[in-house]
Coordinates of all heavy atoms in Angstrom, one line a residue:
M234 N 4.4 26.3 -70.2 CA 4.7 25.3 -69.2 C 4.4 25.7 -67.8 O 4.6 26.9 -67.5 CB 6.3 25.0 -69.3 CG 6.7 24.1 -70.4 SD 8.5 23.9 -70.6 CE 9.0 23.4 -69.0
P235 N 3.8 24.8 -67.0 CA 3.5 25.2 -65.7 C 4.7 25.2 -64.8 O 5.8 24.7 -65.1 CB 2.5 24.1 -65.2 CG 2.9 22.9 -66.1 CD 3.4 23.5 -67.4
I236 N 4.5 25.8 -63.6 CA 5.6 25.8 -62.6 C 5.8 24.4 -62.1 O 4.9 23.6 -61.8 CB 5.1 26.6 -61.4 CG1 4.9 28.1 -61.8 CG2 6.1 26.6 -60.2 CD1 4.1 28.9 -60.8
P237 N 7.1 23.9 -62.1 CA 7.4 22.5 -61.8 C 7.1 22.3 -60.3 O 7.1 23.2 -59.5 CB 8.9 22.4 -62.0 CG 9.4 23.7 -62.2 CD 8.3 24.7 -62.5
D238 N 6.8 21.0 -60.0 CA 6.5 20.7 -58.6 C 7.7 20.4 -57.8 O 7.6 20.3 -56.5 CB 5.5 19.5 -58.6 CG 4.1 19.8 -59.1 OD1 3.7 21.0 -58.9 OD2 3.5 18.9 -59.7
R239 N 8.8 20.1 -58.4 CA 10.0 19.8 -57.7 C 11.3 20.2 -58.5 O 11.2 20.4 -59.7 CB 10.1 18.3 -57.3 CG 10.2 17.4 -58.5 CD 10.2 15.9 -58.0 NE 10.5 15.0 -59.1 CZ 11.8 14.6 -59.4 NH1 12.8 15.1 -58.8 NH2 12.0 13.8 -60.4
L240 N 12.4 20.3 -57.8 CA 13.6 20.7 -58.4 C 14.1 19.5 -59.2 O 13.8 18.3 -58.9 CB 14.7 21.0 -57.3 CG 14.5 22.3 -56.6 CD1 15.4 22.3 -55.3 CD2 14.8 23.5 -57.4
P241 N 14.9 19.7 -60.3 CA 15.5 18.6 -61.1 C 16.5 17.8 -60.2 O 17.1 18.3 -59.3 CB 16.2 19.3 -62.2 CG 15.7 20.7 -62.2 CD 15.2 21.0 -60.9
D242 N 16.7 16.6 -60.5 CA 17.7 15.7 -59.9 C 19.1 16.3 -60.2 O 19.3 16.9 -61.2 CB 17.6 14.3 -60.4 CG 16.3 13.6 -60.0 OD1 15.7 14.0 -59.0 OD2 15.9 12.7 -60.7
G243 N 20.0 16.1 -59.2 CA 21.4 16.5 -59.5 C 21.7 17.9 -59.0 O 22.8 18.3 -59.3
L244 N 20.8 18.6 -58.4 CA 21.1 19.9 -57.9 C 21.5 19.9 -56.4 O 21.1 19.0 -55.7 CB 19.9 20.8 -58.0 CG 19.4 21.1 -59.4 CD1 18.2 22.1 -59.4 CD2 20.5 21.6 -60.4
E245 N 22.3 20.8 -56.0 CA 22.7 21.0 -54.6 C 22.5 22.4 -54.1 O 22.7 23.3 -54.9 CB 24.1 20.5 -54.3 CG 25.2 21.3 -55.0 CD 26.6 20.8 -54.8 OE1 26.8 19.7 -54.2 OE2 27.5 21.5 -55.3
A246 N 22.1 22.6 -52.9 CA 21.9 23.9 -52.3 C 23.3 24.5 -52.1 O 24.3 23.9 -51.7 CB 21.2 23.8 -51.0
Y247 N 23.4 25.8 -52.4 CA 24.7 26.5 -52.3 C 24.6 27.9 -51.6 O 25.6 28.4 -51.2 CB 25.5 26.6 -53.6 CG 25.0 27.6 -54.6 CD1 25.5 28.9 -54.6 CD2 23.9 27.3 -55.4 CE1 25.0 29.9 -55.5 CE2 23.5 28.3 -56.3 CZ 24.0 29.5 -56.3 OH 23.5 30.5 -57.2
A248 N 23.4 28.4 -51.5 CA 23.3 29.8 -50.9 C 21.8 29.9 -50.5 O 21.0 29.2 -50.9 CB 23.7 30.9 -51.9
R249 N 21.6 31.0 -49.7 CA 20.3 31.3 -49.2 C 20.1 32.8 -49.1 O 21.1 33.5 -48.6 CB 20.1 30.6 -47.8 CG 18.8 30.9 -47.2 CD 18.7 30.3 -45.8 NE 17.8 31.2 -45.0 CZ 17.1 30.8 -44.0 NH1 17.3 29.6 -43.5 NH2 16.3 31.6 -43.4
S250 N 19.0 33.3 -49.4 CA 18.7 34.7 -49.3 C 18.5 35.0 -47.8 O 18.2 34.1 -47.0 CB 17.5 35.1 -50.1 OG 16.3 34.7 -49.4
P251 N 18.5 36.3 -47.4 CA 18.0 36.7 -46.1 C 16.5 36.4 -46.0 O 15.9 36.2 -47.1 CB 18.3 38.2 -46.0 CG 19.1 38.6 -47.2 CD 19.0 37.5 -48.2
E252 N 16.0 36.4 -44.8 CA 14.5 36.3 -44.7 C 14.0 37.7 -45.0 O 14.5 38.7 -44.5 CB 14.2 36.0 -43.2 CG 13.8 34.6 -43.0 CD 13.4 34.3 -41.6 OE1 12.7 35.0 -40.9 OE2 13.8 33.2 -41.1
F253 N 12.8 37.7 -45.7 CA 12.1 38.9 -46.0 C 10.7 38.8 -45.4 O 10.2 37.7 -45.4 CB 12.0 39.2 -47.5 CG 13.4 39.4 -48.1 CD1 13.8 38.4 -49.0 CD2 14.1 40.5 -47.9 CE1 15.1 38.5 -49.6 CE2 15.4 40.6 -48.5 CZ 15.8 39.7 -49.4
N254 N 10.1 39.9 -45.0 CA 8.8 39.9 -44.5 C 8.0 40.8 -45.4 O 8.5 41.4 -46.4 CB 8.6 40.3 -43.1 CG 9.1 41.7 -42.8 OD1 8.9 42.6 -43.5 ND2 9.7 41.9 -41.6
S255 N 6.7 41.0 -45.1 CA 5.8 41.8 -46.0 C 6.3 43.2 -46.2 O 6.2 43.8 -47.3 CB 4.4 41.8 -45.4 OG 4.0 40.6 -45.0
E256 N 7.0 43.8 -45.2 CA 7.5 45.1 -45.2 C 8.9 45.2 -45.9 O 9.2 46.3 -46.5 CB 7.5 45.8 -43.9 CG 6.1 46.1 -43.3 CD 5.3 44.9 -42.8 OE1 6.0 44.1 -42.1 OE2 4.1 44.8 -43.1
S257 N 9.7 44.2 -45.7 CA 11.1 44.3 -46.1 C 11.3 43.6 -47.5 O 12.4 43.7 -48.0 CB 12.0 43.7 -45.1 OG 11.8 42.3 -45.0
L258 N 10.3 43.1 -48.1 CA 10.5 42.4 -49.4 C 10.9 43.4 -50.4 O 10.2 44.4 -50.7 CB 9.1 41.8 -49.9 CG 9.2 41.0 -51.2 CD1 10.1 39.7 -51.0 CD2 7.8 40.6 -51.6
P259 N 12.1 43.3 -51.0 CA 12.6 44.3 -51.9 C 11.8 44.5 -53.2 O 11.2 43.5 -53.7 CB 14.0 43.7 -52.4 CG 14.4 42.7 -51.3 CD 13.1 42.2 -50.8
A260 N 11.7 45.7 -53.7 CA 10.9 46.0 -54.9 C 11.4 45.2 -56.0 O 10.5 44.8 -56.9 CB 11.1 47.5 -55.2
K261 N 12.7 44.9 -56.1 CA 13.2 44.1 -57.3 C 12.6 42.7 -57.3 O 12.5 42.1 -58.3 CB 14.7 44.0 -57.4 CG 15.4 43.3 -56.3 CD 16.9 43.4 -56.4 CE 17.5 42.6 -55.3 NZ 19.0 42.6 -55.4
L262 N 12.2 42.1 -56.1 CA 11.6 40.8 -56.1 C 10.1 40.9 -56.4 O 9.5 39.9 -56.8 CB 11.8 40.1 -54.7 CG 13.2 39.8 -54.3 CD1 13.3 39.1 -53.0 CD2 13.9 39.1 -55.4
Q263 N 9.5 42.1 -56.2 CA 8.1 42.3 -56.5 C 7.9 42.6 -58.0 O 6.7 42.6 -58.5 CB 7.5 43.4 -55.6 CG 7.6 43.0 -54.2 CD 7.1 44.1 -53.3 OE1 5.9 44.5 -53.4 NE2 7.9 44.6 -52.4
A264 N 9.0 42.9 -58.7 CA 8.9 43.2 -60.2 C 9.5 42.0 -60.9 O 10.2 41.1 -60.3 CB 9.7 44.4 -60.5
G265 N 9.3 41.9 -62.2 CA 9.9 40.8 -63.0 C 11.4 40.7 -62.9 O 12.1 41.7 -63.1
H266 N 11.9 39.5 -62.6 CA 13.3 39.2 -62.5 C 13.5 37.7 -62.7 O 12.5 37.0 -62.7 CB 13.9 39.7 -61.1 CG 13.3 38.9 -60.0 ND1 12.1 39.1 -59.5 CD2 13.9 37.8 -59.3 CE1 11.9 38.2 -58.5 NE2 12.9 37.5 -58.3
A267 N 14.7 37.3 -62.9 CA 15.0 35.9 -63.1 C 16.4 35.6 -62.5 O 17.2 36.4 -62.3 CB 15.0 35.6 -64.6
T268 N 16.6 34.3 -62.2 CA 17.9 33.8 -61.7 C 18.8 33.7 -62.9 O 18.4 33.6 -64.1 CB 17.8 32.4 -61.0 OG1 17.3 31.5 -62.0 CG2 16.9 32.5 -59.8
K269 N 20.1 33.7 -62.6 CA 21.1 33.6 -63.7 C 21.1 32.1 -64.2 O 20.6 31.2 -63.6 CB 22.5 34.0 -63.2 CG 23.0 33.1 -62.1 CD 24.4 33.7 -61.7 CE 24.9 32.8 -60.5 NZ 26.2 33.3 -60.0
A270 N 21.7 31.9 -65.4 CA 21.8 30.6 -66.0 C 22.4 29.6 -65.0 O 23.4 29.9 -64.3 CB 22.7 30.7 -67.2
G271 N 21.7 28.4 -64.9 CA 22.2 27.4 -64.0 C 21.8 27.5 -62.6 O 22.1 26.6 -61.8
T272 N 21.1 28.6 -62.2 CA 20.7 28.7 -60.8 C 19.2 28.5 -60.7 O 18.4 29.1 -61.4 CB 21.0 30.2 -60.3 OG1 22.5 30.3 -60.4 CG2 20.5 30.4 -58.9
W273 N 18.8 27.6 -59.8 CA 17.4 27.4 -59.5 C 17.2 27.8 -58.1 O 18.1 28.1 -57.3 CB 17.1 25.9 -59.6 CG 17.1 25.3 -61.0 CD1 18.1 25.2 -61.9 CD2 16.0 24.8 -61.7 NE1 17.7 24.7 -63.0 CE2 16.4 24.4 -62.9 CE3 14.6 24.6 -61.3 CZ2 15.5 23.8 -63.9 CZ3 13.8 24.0 -62.2 CH2 14.2 23.7 -63.5
G274 N 15.9 28.0 -57.7 CA 15.6 28.4 -56.4 C 14.5 27.6 -55.8 O 13.7 27.0 -56.6
L275 N 14.4 27.6 -54.5 CA 13.3 27.0 -53.8 C 12.8 28.1 -52.8 O 13.5 28.4 -51.8 CB 13.7 25.7 -53.1 CG 12.5 24.9 -52.6 CD1 11.5 24.4 -53.7 CD2 13.0 23.6 -51.8
L276 N 11.6 28.7 -53.1 CA 11.1 29.7 -52.2 C 10.3 29.1 -51.1 O 9.5 28.2 -51.3 CB 10.2 30.6 -53.1 CG 9.6 31.9 -52.4 CD1 9.4 32.9 -53.4 CD2 8.4 31.6 -51.6
H277 N 10.7 29.4 -49.8 CA 10.1 28.9 -48.6 C 9.2 30.0 -48.0 O 9.8 31.0 -47.7 CB 11.2 28.5 -47.6 CG 12.1 27.4 -48.1 ND1 11.9 26.1 -47.7 CD2 13.1 27.4 -48.9 CE1 12.8 25.3 -48.2 NE2 13.6 26.1 -49.0
V278 N 8.0 29.7 -47.8 CA 7.1 30.7 -47.0 C 7.0 30.2 -45.6 O 6.6 29.0 -45.3 CB 5.7 30.7 -47.7 CG1 4.8 31.7 -46.8 CG2 5.8 31.3 -49.1
L279 N 7.5 31.0 -44.7 CA 7.5 30.7 -43.2 C 6.3 31.1 -42.5 O 5.8 30.4 -41.6 CB 8.7 31.3 -42.6 CG 10.1 31.0 -43.2 CD1 11.2 31.9 -42.6 CD2 10.4 29.5 -43.1
E280 N 5.7 32.2 -42.9 CA 4.4 32.7 -42.3 C 3.7 33.4 -43.4 O 4.2 33.9 -44.4 CB 4.7 33.7 -41.2 CG 5.4 33.2 -40.0 CD 5.8 34.2 -39.0 OE1 5.5 35.4 -39.2 OE2 6.3 33.9 -37.9
G281 N 2.3 33.5 -43.3 CA 1.5 34.2 -44.2 C 1.3 33.5 -45.5 O 1.4 32.2 -45.6
A282 N 1.2 34.3 -46.6 CA 1.0 33.7 -47.9 C 1.4 34.7 -49.0 O 1.3 35.9 -48.8 CB -0.5 33.3 -48.1
L283 N 1.9 34.2 -50.1 CA 2.3 35.0 -51.2 C 1.9 34.4 -52.5 O 1.7 33.2 -52.6 CB 3.8 35.4 -51.2 CG 4.9 34.3 -51.2 CD1 5.0 33.7 -52.6 CD2 6.2 34.9 -50.8
V284 N 1.9 35.2 -53.5 CA 1.6 34.7 -54.9 C 2.9 34.7 -55.6 O 3.6 35.8 -55.7 CB 0.5 35.5 -55.6 CG1 0.4 35.1 -57.1 CG2 -0.8 35.4 -54.9
Y285 N 3.3 33.6 -56.2 CA 4.5 33.5 -57.1 C 3.9 33.4 -58.5 O 3.1 32.6 -58.9 CB 5.2 32.2 -56.8 CG 6.3 31.9 -57.8 CD1 7.6 32.5 -57.6 CD2 6.1 31.0 -58.8 CE1 8.6 32.2 -58.5 CE2 7.2 30.7 -59.7 CZ 8.4 31.3 -59.6 OH 9.4 31.0 -60.5
R286 N 4.3 34.4 -59.4 CA 3.7 34.5 -60.7 C 4.8 34.6 -61.8 O 5.7 35.4 -61.6 CB 2.8 35.8 -60.7 CG 2.0 36.0 -62.0 CD 1.0 37.1 -61.9 NE 0.0 36.8 -60.9 CZ -0.4 37.5 -59.9 NH1 0.2 38.6 -59.6 NH2 -1.4 37.1 -59.1
L287 N 4.6 33.8 -62.8 CA 5.6 33.9 -63.9 C 5.2 35.1 -64.8 O 4.1 35.5 -65.0 CB 5.5 32.6 -64.8 CG 5.8 31.3 -64.0 CD1 5.7 30.1 -65.0 CD2 7.1 31.3 -63.4
E288 N 6.2 35.6 -65.4 CA 6.1 36.8 -66.3 C 5.9 36.2 -67.8 O 6.3 35.2 -68.1 CB 7.4 37.6 -66.3 CG 7.7 38.3 -65.0 CD 6.8 39.5 -64.7 OE1 6.5 40.2 -65.7 OE2 6.3 39.6 -63.6
P289 N 5.1 37.0 -68.6 CA 5.0 36.6 -70.0 C 6.3 36.5 -70.7 O 7.3 37.2 -70.3 CB 4.2 37.8 -70.6 CG 3.5 38.4 -69.4 CD 4.4 38.2 -68.3
P290 N 6.5 35.5 -71.6 CA 5.4 34.8 -72.3 C 4.9 33.6 -71.5 O 3.9 33.0 -71.9 CB 6.1 34.3 -73.6 CG 7.5 34.1 -73.2 CD 7.8 35.2 -72.1
R291 N 5.6 33.2 -70.4 CA 5.1 32.1 -69.5 C 3.8 32.6 -68.8 O 3.7 33.8 -68.4 CB 6.1 31.7 -68.5 CG 7.4 31.2 -69.2 CD 7.4 29.7 -69.6 NE 7.1 28.8 -68.6 CZ 8.1 28.2 -67.9 NH1 9.3 28.4 -68.1 NH2 7.7 27.3 -66.9
R292 N 2.9 31.7 -68.5 CA 1.7 32.1 -67.8 C 1.4 31.0 -66.8 O 0.9 30.0 -67.1 CB 0.5 32.2 -68.8 CG 0.7 33.3 -69.8 CD -0.3 34.4 -69.4 NE -0.2 35.4 -70.5 CZ 0.0 36.7 -70.2 NH1 0.2 37.1 -68.9 NH2 0.1 37.6 -71.1
D293 N 1.7 31.3 -65.5 CA 1.2 30.4 -64.4 C 1.5 31.2 -63.1 O 2.2 32.2 -63.1 CB 2.0 29.1 -64.4 CG 1.4 28.0 -63.6 OD1 0.2 28.2 -63.1 OD2 2.0 26.9 -63.5
E294 N 0.8 30.8 -62.1 CA 1.0 31.4 -60.8 C 0.6 30.4 -59.7 O -0.1 29.4 -60.0 CB 0.1 32.7 -60.6 CG -1.4 32.5 -60.6 CD -2.1 33.8 -60.4 OE1 -1.8 34.7 -61.1 OE2 -3.0 33.8 -59.5
R295 N 1.1 30.6 -58.5 CA 0.9 29.7 -57.4 C 0.7 30.5 -56.2 O 1.5 31.3 -55.9 CB 2.0 28.7 -57.3 CG 1.7 27.6 -56.3 CD 2.2 26.2 -56.6 NE 2.1 25.8 -57.9 CZ 2.9 24.9 -58.4 NH1 4.0 24.5 -57.7 NH2 2.8 24.5 -59.7
L296 N -0.3 30.1 -55.4 CA -0.5 30.7 -54.1 C 0.3 29.8 -53.1 O 0.2 28.6 -53.1 CB -2.0 30.7 -53.6 CG -2.2 31.1 -52.2 CD1 -1.9 32.6 -52.0 CD2 -3.7 30.9 -51.9
V297 N 1.2 30.4 -52.4 CA 2.1 29.6 -51.5 C 1.9 30.1 -50.1 O 2.1 31.3 -49.8 CB 3.6 29.8 -51.9 CG1 4.5 28.9 -51.2 CG2 3.8 29.8 -53.4
R298 N 1.5 29.1 -49.2 CA 1.2 29.4 -47.8 C 2.3 29.0 -46.9 O 3.2 28.2 -47.3 CB -0.1 28.8 -47.5 CG -1.3 29.3 -48.3 CD -2.6 28.8 -47.7 NE -3.8 29.3 -48.4 CZ -4.2 30.6 -48.1 NH1 -3.7 31.3 -47.2 NH2 -5.3 31.0 -48.8
A299 N 2.2 29.4 -45.6 CA 3.2 29.0 -44.6 C 3.4 27.5 -44.6 O 2.5 26.8 -44.7 CB 2.7 29.5 -43.3
G300 N 4.7 27.1 -44.6 CA 5.0 25.7 -44.6 C 5.2 25.1 -46.0 O 5.6 24.0 -46.2
E301 N 4.8 25.9 -47.1 CA 4.9 25.4 -48.4 C 6.1 26.0 -49.2 O 6.7 27.0 -48.7 CB 3.6 25.7 -49.2 CG 2.4 25.1 -48.6 CD 1.1 25.5 -49.3 OE1 1.1 26.5 -50.1 OE2 0.1 24.8 -49.1
T302 N 6.5 25.4 -50.3 CA 7.6 25.9 -51.1 C 7.1 26.0 -52.6 O 6.1 25.4 -52.9 CB 8.8 25.0 -51.1 OG1 8.5 23.7 -51.5 CG2 9.4 24.9 -49.7
V303 N 7.9 26.7 -53.4 CA 7.6 26.7 -54.8 C 9.0 26.8 -55.5 O 9.9 27.4 -55.0 CB 6.7 27.9 -55.2 CG1 7.4 29.3 -55.0 CG2 6.2 27.8 -56.7
V304 N 9.1 26.0 -56.6 CA 10.3 25.9 -57.4 C 10.4 27.2 -58.3 O 9.5 27.5 -59.0 CB 10.3 24.6 -58.2 CG1 11.5 24.6 -59.2 CG2 10.3 23.4 -57.3
I305 N 11.6 27.7 -58.3 CA 12.0 28.9 -59.2 C 12.9 28.3 -60.2 O 14.1 27.9 -59.9 CB 12.6 30.0 -58.4 CG1 11.7 30.5 -57.3 CG2 13.1 31.1 -59.4 CD1 12.4 31.5 -56.3
E306 N 12.5 28.3 -61.5 CA 13.3 27.7 -62.6 C 14.4 28.7 -63.0 O 14.2 29.9 -62.9 CB 12.4 27.4 -63.8 CG 11.4 26.3 -63.6 CD 10.6 26.1 -64.8 OE1 9.5 26.8 -64.9 OE2 11.0 25.4 -65.7
S307 N 15.5 28.1 -63.4 CA 16.6 28.9 -63.9 C 16.2 29.8 -65.1 O 15.5 29.3 -66.0 CB 17.7 27.9 -64.3 OG 18.8 28.6 -64.9
E308 N 16.5 31.0 -65.0 CA 16.3 32.0 -66.1 C 14.8 32.2 -66.5 O 14.6 32.8 -67.5 CB 17.1 31.6 -67.4 CG 18.6 31.5 -67.2 CD 19.3 31.1 -68.4 OE1 19.4 29.9 -68.7 OE2 19.7 32.1 -69.2
V309 N 13.9 31.9 -65.6 CA 12.5 32.1 -65.9 C 12.0 33.3 -65.2 O 12.1 33.3 -63.9 CB 11.6 30.9 -65.6 CG1 10.1 31.2 -65.7 CG2 12.0 29.7 -66.5
A310 N 11.6 34.4 -65.9 CA 11.1 35.6 -65.2 C 9.9 35.4 -64.4 O 9.0 34.7 -64.8 CB 10.9 36.7 -66.3
H311 N 9.9 36.0 -63.2 CA 8.8 35.8 -62.3 C 8.8 37.0 -61.3 O 9.7 37.8 -61.3 CB 9.0 34.5 -61.5 CG 10.2 34.5 -60.7 ND1 11.5 34.2 -61.3 CD2 10.5 34.8 -59.4 CE1 12.4 34.3 -60.3 NE2 11.9 34.7 -59.2
H312 N 7.8 37.1 -60.5 CA 7.8 38.0 -59.3 C 6.9 37.5 -58.2 O 6.2 36.5 -58.4 CB 7.3 39.4 -59.8 CG 5.8 39.5 -60.1 ND1 5.4 39.2 -61.4 CD2 4.7 39.8 -59.4 CE1 4.1 39.3 -61.4 NE2 3.6 39.7 -60.2
V313 N 7.1 38.0 -57.0 CA 6.3 37.6 -55.9 C 5.6 38.7 -55.2 O 6.0 39.9 -55.3 CB 7.2 36.8 -54.8 CG1 7.8 35.6 -55.4 CG2 8.3 37.7 -54.3
Q314 N 4.5 38.4 -54.5 CA 3.7 39.4 -53.8 C 3.1 38.8 -52.6 O 2.4 37.8 -52.8 CB 2.7 40.0 -54.8 CG 1.7 41.0 -54.2 CD 0.6 41.4 -55.1 OE1 0.5 40.9 -56.2 NE2 -0.2 42.4 -54.7
F315 N 3.3 39.4 -51.5 CA 2.6 38.9 -50.3 C 1.1 39.2 -50.4 O 0.7 40.3 -50.8 CB 3.1 39.5 -49.0 CG 4.3 38.8 -48.5 CD1 5.6 39.3 -48.7 CD2 4.2 37.6 -47.7 CE1 6.7 38.6 -48.2 CE2 5.3 36.9 -47.2 CZ 6.6 37.5 -47.4
V316 N 0.2 38.2 -50.1 CA -1.2 38.5 -50.1 C -1.7 38.4 -48.6 O -2.9 38.7 -48.4 CB -2.0 37.5 -51.0 CG1 -1.6 37.8 -52.5 CG2 -1.7 36.1 -50.7
E317 N -0.9 37.9 -47.7 CA -1.1 37.9 -46.3 C 0.2 38.2 -45.7 O 1.3 37.7 -46.1 CB -1.6 36.5 -45.8 CG -2.9 36.1 -46.2 CD -3.3 34.6 -45.8 OE1 -2.6 34.1 -44.9 OE2 -4.2 34.1 -46.3
P318 N 0.3 39.0 -44.6 CA 1.6 39.4 -44.0 C 2.3 38.1 -43.6 O 1.7 37.1 -43.2 CB 1.2 40.2 -42.8 CG -0.2 40.7 -43.1 CD -0.9 39.7 -43.9
G319 N 3.6 38.1 -43.8 CA 4.4 36.9 -43.6 C 5.9 37.1 -43.7 O 6.4 38.2 -43.8
R320 N 6.6 35.9 -43.8 CA 8.0 35.9 -44.0 C 8.4 34.8 -45.0 O 7.7 33.8 -45.1 CB 8.7 35.5 -42.6 CG 8.5 36.5 -41.6 CD 9.3 36.1 -40.3 NE 8.9 34.8 -39.8 CZ 9.7 33.8 -39.5 NH1 11.0 33.9 -39.7 NH2 9.2 32.6 -39.0
M321 N 9.5 35.0 -45.7 CA 9.9 34.0 -46.7 C 11.4 34.2 -46.9 O 12.0 35.1 -46.5 CB 9.2 34.3 -48.1 CG 9.3 35.6 -48.7 SD 10.8 36.1 -49.5 CE 10.7 35.1 -51.0
F322 N 12.0 33.1 -47.5 CA 13.4 33.2 -48.0 C 13.5 32.3 -49.2 O 12.6 31.5 -49.5 CB 14.4 32.8 -46.9 CG 14.4 31.4 -46.5 CD1 15.3 30.5 -47.2 CD2 13.6 30.9 -45.5 CE1 15.3 29.1 -46.9 CE2 13.6 29.5 -45.2 CZ 14.4 28.7 -45.8
V323 N 14.6 32.4 -50.0 CA 14.9 31.6 -51.1 C 16.2 30.9 -50.9 O 17.2 31.5 -50.5 CB 15.0 32.4 -52.4 CG1 15.3 31.5 -53.6 CG2 13.7 33.2 -52.7
E324 N 16.2 29.6 -51.2 CA 17.3 28.7 -51.1 C 17.8 28.5 -52.6 O 16.9 28.2 -53.4 CB 17.0 27.4 -50.5 CG 18.1 26.5 -50.1 CD 17.6 25.3 -49.3 OE1 16.4 24.9 -49.4 OE2 18.4 24.7 -48.6
F325 N 19.1 28.7 -52.9 CA 19.5 28.6 -54.3 C 20.3 27.3 -54.5 O 21.0 26.8 -53.7 CB 20.5 29.8 -54.6 CG 19.7 31.1 -54.5 CD1 19.8 31.9 -53.4 CD2 18.9 31.5 -55.6 CE1 19.1 33.1 -53.3 CE2 18.2 32.7 -55.5 CZ 18.3 33.5 -54.4
Y326 N 20.1 26.8 -55.7 CA 20.6 25.5 -56.1 C 21.3 25.6 -57.4 O 21.0 26.4 -58.3 CB 19.5 24.5 -56.3 CG 18.8 24.0 -55.0 CD1 17.9 24.8 -54.4 CD2 19.2 22.8 -54.4 CE1 17.3 24.5 -53.2 CE2 18.6 22.4 -53.2 CZ 17.6 23.3 -52.6 OH 17.1 22.9 -51.4
R327 N 22.3 24.7 -57.6 CA 23.0 24.5 -58.9 C 23.4 23.1 -59.1 O 23.3 22.3 -58.1 CB 24.2 25.4 -58.9 CG 25.3 25.0 -57.9 CD 26.5 25.9 -58.0 NE 27.4 25.5 -56.9 CZ 27.9 26.4 -56.1 NH1 27.8 27.7 -56.3 NH2 28.7 26.0 -55.1
R328 N 23.9 22.7 -60.2 CA 24.3 21.3 -60.5 C 25.4 21.0 -59.5 O 26.3 21.8 -59.2 CB 24.8 21.2 -61.9 CG 23.8 21.3 -62.9 CD 23.2 20.0 -63.3 NE 22.0 20.2 -64.1 CZ 20.8 19.6 -63.9 NH1 20.6 18.8 -62.9 NH2 19.8 19.9 -64.7
A329 N 25.4 19.8 -59.0 CA 26.4 19.3 -58.0 C 27.7 19.3 -58.7 O 27.9 19.0 -59.9 CB 26.1 17.9 -57.6
G330 N 28.7 19.8 -58.0 CA 30.1 19.9 -58.5 C 30.5 21.1 -59.2 O 31.6 21.3 -59.6
V331 N 29.5 22.0 -59.5 CA 29.8 23.3 -60.2 C 30.3 24.3 -59.2 O 29.7 24.6 -58.2 CB 28.5 23.8 -60.9 CG1 28.8 25.2 -61.5 CG2 28.0 22.9 -61.9
P332 N 31.5 24.8 -59.4 CA 32.1 25.8 -58.5 C 31.3 27.1 -58.4 O 30.6 27.5 -59.4 CB 33.5 26.1 -59.0 CG 33.5 25.6 -60.4 CD 32.4 24.6 -60.5
K333 N 31.2 27.7 -57.2 CA 30.5 29.0 -57.1 C 31.2 30.1 -57.9 O 32.4 30.2 -57.8 CB 30.4 29.3 -55.6 CG 29.5 30.5 -55.3 CD 29.4 30.7 -53.8 CE 28.5 31.9 -53.5 NZ 28.4 32.1 -52.1
S334 N 30.5 30.8 -58.6 CA 31.1 31.9 -59.4 C 31.1 33.2 -58.7 O 30.4 33.4 -57.8 CB 30.5 32.0 -60.8 OG 29.1 32.1 -60.7

């Protein structure tokens, strides 16, 4: 399955990561990782460009430039890598009405 173009209906934003730049991007985000069950993300690139890549068995990747976003599916392993110096953050979403755990 390819990376979706938009978040599913019925989700609401509930948290946001700090801003990371090319130098401060944590190693755990550059290695395969996934969100917990029920958590989706929207990665925002503020400056520069990065590659968002799904981990096997899924196979897809997207070049994301300044001003663009990419959807992070719940529980789908992925990693990111800056290909041009820049800044980014992730906004986290869950079903509307679900209490924060």
Side-chain angles (χ1 to χ4, degrees):
M234 280 175 52
I236 298 166
D238 291 327
R239 65 183 191 88
L240 291 166
D242 293 335
L244 298 182
E245 64 183 6
Y247 74 93
R249 179 188 150 152
S250 76
E252 255 183 45
F253 298 111
N254 63 36
S255 313
E256 288 76 43
S257 67
L258 185 66
K261 68 181 180 180
L262 298 183
Q263 297 177 61
H266 66 283
T268 60
K269 64 184 178 180
T272 299
W273 287 67
L275 191 60
L276 187 153
H277 296 261
V278 177
L279 303 172
E280 294 176 359
L283 60 76
V284 173
Y285 172 83
R286 186 171 290 127
L287 301 181
E288 296 286 319
R291 301 276 300 268
R292 296 249 183 236
D293 199 4
E294 67 180 49
R295 183 141 326 145
L296 176 64
V297 191
R298 298 191 174 279
E301 298 177 345
T302 60
V303 68
V304 172
I305 301 169
E306 292 178 271
S307 178
E308 300 182 272
V309 173
H311 61 277
H312 68 274
V313 297
Q314 175 185 6
F315 275 101
V316 293
E317 293 175 15
R320 297 181 303 125
M321 57 78 71
F322 71 91
V323 177
E324 194 172 22
F325 296 99
Y326 289 79
R327 65 176 173 229
R328 293 269 169 229
V331 174
K333 188 175 181 179
S334 52

